[in-house]
Structure formats: structure tokens, C-alpha cells
């Protein structure tokens, strides 16, 4: 998977500033790196459509692996979630989702820099989707298995109209500027770092590309927007990545950025929450 | 003022486990250390009563120095305050007040370990006070000028019935166990460290006594209770105190404590918020 990432990066470099998008088909998982790209300079929107879209209602009747029930990704009150988090009864990712709810509006454009199993992508989609069909979620991951999971989750919990708003790319988050059109004001860029839950733990986000991705996110983010980061220190390279991120955040000027960190200090391997608000 | 603290500590040691309380009178500021104590072994409740208690309504008509309007210490939603804090538009102390609101109930016993100018004392009083008159706020500070300010604030913004619930002590927070009766379950212990705003900046909380105070708070806190700490690193000794507190927090077992830290990483001298929840 790492070699795939390298291939993609090299290929992307060759294509220079062309937008590189992959044609995604829910029914066709055997996409080779070379088939991911079109030599056509026009952008081809890549959306995941299921052959059958299940519209499920009633959270209690289904069981979905993940940090929380994706059917109601951001319900309840932030008040409750913050206190539950402080009491150690809610996860960092859930706090992140509640913060997003207060930043992202219907019709906004947002970026999921690390799709993983798609829970963040779905949560973001629910925040931007409305009948105007103006919202956009640009999602990416270096692993195609991650985008398969994301696609599958969207098939289950997003309507066909909602899915029209999502574009998924097999690529490194450091190249997000290649896929977000220049005239799009991005309200939020979400990072959930580390390895793919349930996937190959050797395939991790790397501090070098993560910092490049943060630099890119900083450039495309609109004023009033948010870079949201959940970072982990429990795996090899995780501590270094966190320190690089913290260093990046600490250098942002207070006049134009407010950078907050939330952390459980007596759980050394607990995820860190870092929010970078652009004023 | 430091010598006053020393005198009080020595005197308190002499009195051993007797409850040491000072008779407070709003009209009499010239209290010498020796006159603060009664040799009577009975506890004398020290409450601040103003000769005239102003019951003010309408926040817009008055101006009060402090972090926020004490007339409505914990109004609005935590949701809004958390997001405003993350955006850099709300203070750490305000976030602390909102968290307290979710922990403290009417009729509870709470401790203000560092009264300062009394904003926390007042906020705590409003949380515990009701018609049952069961609530208690045990407030302390090593500086009598701080308790004068606290007393004055209570005179302005608390009713006589509410003020009956407050007990103020000129003493170190490390000795809080001397004043809280053994059978009282304490719901919250609040620390707002550093120096007295507007006071002598050389009189600061010290890491040694602060850690002793945290140990004491840990012993008297009821399950489900909270130790809330706002700590500052911008003054000499502040960084060391913060590090000692973080070390203390990181050693608390995760099975019985959840210790969270909130921090603005690109404002090096911003206050740190540390919440220690006892499960």
C-alpha cells in the first residue's frame, strides 16, 4: 500500500497541476494504480454508487462497527458530549463531530483528508447536504480498501442525492489542492490520522506528508473555517507525527488562527484532539 | 502577605485539627493575623455580610471588573461557550464555569481553593444555593485582600440567604481538610492559580503547596466530583507549577479518574485548563 502511495505521488507529479481523480465503482474493487488515472485533462467526478441503496431507519435494528452509530452521526447536544468526554465516556472523534456541527453549514465544501472507514465522510456529508445540492465532500485516502469501506458506508446511510455530493480519491492528503477547485471556499478539513482501523497497521500517515497536508489545508481553508485533527501516539511514528503537528500549530499566528488541544493526560495513548480555527 | 501565610500555617498547626475560621466583617478591613483566630475550640462560622446588600438587576447598567459579568455567571449554553473558546473568543475561566454547571447540583458542598476576587466563589454559590439552604461554599485564600474582594462581590450579587452558605477562610488551600467537615461529600474543588488579579504579583500560588492542596482535594472529593484547575505559565514559577500539576494528574489511575487538559497551543502564555474527574 505504501508503494501504491508512492506510485500515485509520482504519477500526480507527472500530471502536474491537472486534477487527478479516480473513477470509482462500487462493484469493481480491483483497480490497479495505473487504471486510477485518466490522461484526459478534464476532471472526471468519481462518486460511489451502490447497485442498491439501502435507506435504513431505526438505529436500534442494525449493528455497524465504528466509533458510534453512523445513522445519527451528530445528534444530541455538544454540552452533553463535552462533559461526557471530560468524564472519559465519549471518544475524541465524537467531540470532533460536535465541533464540526458548529462550523459547517448546509451547502459548504469540506475535505475529509483521511477517509478511513468513512465515518467522518458520512458525518460531514450529513452536515453539508440539503436540497440545493450545493454542498461538497472531497474525500481521500491512500488505501483503496479505505475508500471501499467509505463507499459501502455511504451506500448504506446516504441517499442517492447525498452521495452525488461526495467525491472520493485514492491519493495522499498532501495533494488535496489538486482536487479542490480554486474557486471553492473550504469550510473544514478533517484529519483522523494513524492507521486504518481493522486494516494494515503498517500503513500509517507519516509526519512529513501530514505536515505538507496541513500546509495545503491552511491554504485552501476559508476564513472562519476549521482544520480538525485527531492524532494518535500509540503506534510507531505516532508520537513524532503528533509533535510535528503540535509544532505546526504552535507556529500559526494568533492574530489569524486559534489552535486548541484537548488531551486526556492520565491515558498516555489516548488520541489528541487539535482544532485549528482560521479567524 | 507571604509572612501572613506563614503565620497562619504555623497557627493552624498549633491548633492541630481544630477548624480554623476567621470572623469576617465587610466594614472592618484592618484585621491583623492574630485577630483572625479565636482560641475557642468551637468553630465560628465566618460569613461576609454587607451593611447594605444591593440586589441589582439589569447587567447593562453596571460595570464590574473581572472575566465576565458576575450577575449571570453561568448563563447561555456550554455548546456556544466551548465553540467560542475553541475560536479564541471565550476565556478558560468561562469554560470552567460551564463544566461546573454540569457537575454541581443545588445543595452540594464545594470548595473554592483560591478565592481571588471572588468570581469563582460567586459562580459556585449560584450553583449550590436554593431554598433548602443545604448548599455550602468553602472559600479560602492566603491574602485577606482577596477575601475582602470576594466578600464585596458577594455583597453585591448574592442575597443574604445565599451568603449564609459561604464560609471564607484566610488560609492556604493545602489545609482545606481542616475546614471541610469529615462527613461532607465535596462535589467540586476549584483552583484558579497564579497571582491575585490587580493585587501583588509577587504573591503567587506555589507548586509545593498546590500539589499538597491537590492531594487534599483528592481525599475530600466525592465520587462523581471534579477538581477544576486553571493554571498560568506567564509568571515566574508558573511553568513549574503547571508541570507539577500535569505530573500529578498523569499519575492518577484511569480506572478512578479522568484527567483532561485544554490548551491554546499557539498562545504560549494562555492559561491551561485541567479537569480531574473522579469516577
Amino acid at each position: 500500500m505504501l508503494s501504491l502511495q508512492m506510485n500515485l505521488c509520482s504519477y500526480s507529479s507527472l500530471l502536474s497541476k491537472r486534477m487527478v481523480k479516480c473513477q470509482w465503482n462500487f462493484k469493481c474493487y480491483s483497480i490497479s494504480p495505473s487504471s486510477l488515472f485518466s490522461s484526459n485533462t478534464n476532471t472526471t467526478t468519481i462518486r460511489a454508487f451502490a447497485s442498491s441503496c439501502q435507506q435504513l431507519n431505526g438505529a436500534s435494528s442494525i449493528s455497524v462497527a465504528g466509533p458510534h452509530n453512523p445513522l445519527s452521526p451528530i445528534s444530541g447536544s455538544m454540552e452533553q458530549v463535552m462533559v461526557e468526554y471530560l468524564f472519559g465516556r465519549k471518544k475524541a472523534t465524537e467531540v470532533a463531530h460536535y465541533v464540526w456541527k458548529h462550523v459547517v453549514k448546509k451547502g459548504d465544501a469540506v475535505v475529509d483528508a483521511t477517509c478511513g472507514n468513512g465515518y467522518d465522510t458520512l458525518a460531514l456529508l450529513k452536515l453539508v447536504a440539503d436540497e440545493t445540492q450545493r454542498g461538497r465532500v472531497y474525500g481521500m485516502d491512500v488505501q483503496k480498501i479505505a475508500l471501499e469501506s467509505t463507499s459501502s458506508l455511504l451506500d448504506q446511510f446516504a441517499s442517492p442525492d447525498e452521495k452525488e455530493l461526495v467525491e472520493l480519491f485514492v491519493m495522499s492528503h498532501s495533494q488535496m489542492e489538486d482536487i479542490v477547485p480554486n474557486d471553492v471556499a473550504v469550510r473544514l478539513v478533517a484529519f483522523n490520522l494513524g492507521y486504518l482501523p481493522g486494516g494494515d497497521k503498517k500503513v500509517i500517515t507519516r509526519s512529513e506528508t501530514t505536515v505538507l497536508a496541513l500546509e495545503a489545508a491552511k491554504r485552501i481553508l476559508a476564513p472562519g473555517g476549521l482544520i480538525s485533527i485527531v492524532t494518535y501516539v500509540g503506534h510507531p511514528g505516532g508520537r513524532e507525527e503528533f509533535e510535528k503537528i503540535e509544532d505546526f500549530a504552535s507556529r500559526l499566528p494568533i492574530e489569524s488562527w486559534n489552535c486548541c488541544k484537548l488531551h486526556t493526560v492520565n491515558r498516555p495513548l489516548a488520541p489528541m484532539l487539535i482544532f485549528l480555527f482560521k479567524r
Side-chain angles (χ1 to χ4, degrees), chain A:
Chain A
M1 282 301 165
L2 277 176
S3 62
L4 169 63
Q5 182 188 1
M6 293 306 293
N7 286 341
L8 296 183
C9 290
S10 310
Y11 202 93
S12 172
S13 301
L14 286 173
L15 291 174
S16 185
K17 284 294 172 191
R18 292 175 194 169
M19 279 202 272
V20 180
K21 299 188 178 185
C22 66
Q23 190 96 37
W24 191 266
N25 186 314
F26 183 72
K27 290 294 184 193
C28 175
Y29 282 170
S30 58
I31 300 170
S32 66
S34 60
S35 71
L36 288 173
F37 299 102
S38 161
S39 59
N40 191 326
T41 55
N42 292 327
T43 63
T44 309
T45 302
I46 302 89
R47 288 162 188 153
F49 295 100
S51 54
S52 65
C53 176
Q54 290 176 276
Q55 286 302 300
L56 297 174
N57 291 306
S60 61
S61 62
I62 59 158
S63 170
V64 181
H68 55 86
N69 180 357
L71 275 181
S72 54
I74 315 184
S75 61
S77 78
M78 181 171 167
E79 198 144 351
Q80 190 184 354
V81 167
M82 271 308 300
V83 171
E84 293 284 295
Y85 170 74
L86 295 173
F87 263 112
R89 293 193 293 247
K90 286 280 181 189
K91 290 169 186 256
T93 47
E94 289 172 278
V95 174
H97 285 194
Y98 274 82
V99 173
W100 301 352
K101 188 180 164 186
H102 287 266
V103 178
V104 177
K105 296 177 185 63
K106 297 292 179 192
D108 277 350
V110 296
V111 173
D112 185 351
T114 50
C115 283
N117 287 320
Y119 295 104
D120 289 350
T121 320
L122 178 63
L124 289 168
L125 176 58
K126 295 293 180 183
L127 290 177
V128 303
D130 67 356
E131 66 287 350
T132 68
Q133 291 291 99
R134 285 184 299 110
R136 285 292 177 277
V137 181
Y138 301 94
M140 64 205 72
D141 205 292
V142 291
Q143 298 187 79
K144 72 183 174 89
I145 195 172
L147 295 189
E148 286 169 6
S149 292
T150 298
S151 182
S152 175
L153 195 76
L154 295 177
D155 288 337
Q156 288 180 77
F157 301 113
S159 72
D161 276 353
E162 286 173 337
K163 282 187 293 180
E164 281 284 330
L165 310 179
V166 182
E167 302 184 19
L168 299 177
F169 305 87
V170 180
M171 61 176 280
S172 166
H173 49 9
S174 63
Q175 296 180 300
M176 66 179 74
E177 285 166 295
D178 292 338
I179 54 159
V180 179
N182 287 339
D183 59 347
V184 167
V186 173
R187 182 79 66 181
L188 186 140
V189 182
F191 292 84
N192 194 343
L193 300 166
Y195 53 81
L196 178 69
D200 183 352
K201 292 188 178 179
K202 291 193 204 111
V203 183
I204 55 169
T205 53
R206 304 279 179 189
S207 54
E208 299 79 18
T209 43
T210 296
V211 169
L212 288 173
L214 289 171
E215 291 283 5
K218 184 181 150 189
R219 287 189 290 266
I220 65 172
L221 199 72
L226 168 69
I227 300 173
S228 167
I229 307 158
V230 182
T231 177
Y232 305 82
V233 295
H235 62 281
R239 173 71 57 184
E240 185 202 341
E241 185 177 44
F242 158 68
E243 286 169 358
K244 284 267 167 57
I245 296 165
E246 195 176 37
D247 180 64
F248 173 88
S250 69
R251 291 167 188 269
L252 292 175
I254 191 72
E255 299 74 27
S256 45
W257 293 84
N258 197 67
C259 305
C260 279
K261 185 176 79 167
L262 281 77
H263 175 214
T264 305
V265 292
N266 64 333
R267 203 151 63 87
L269 303 186
M272 315 272 192
L273 264 169
I274 301 179
F275 296 111
L276 315 180
F277 275 101
K278 190 172 183 175
R279 295 182 203 274

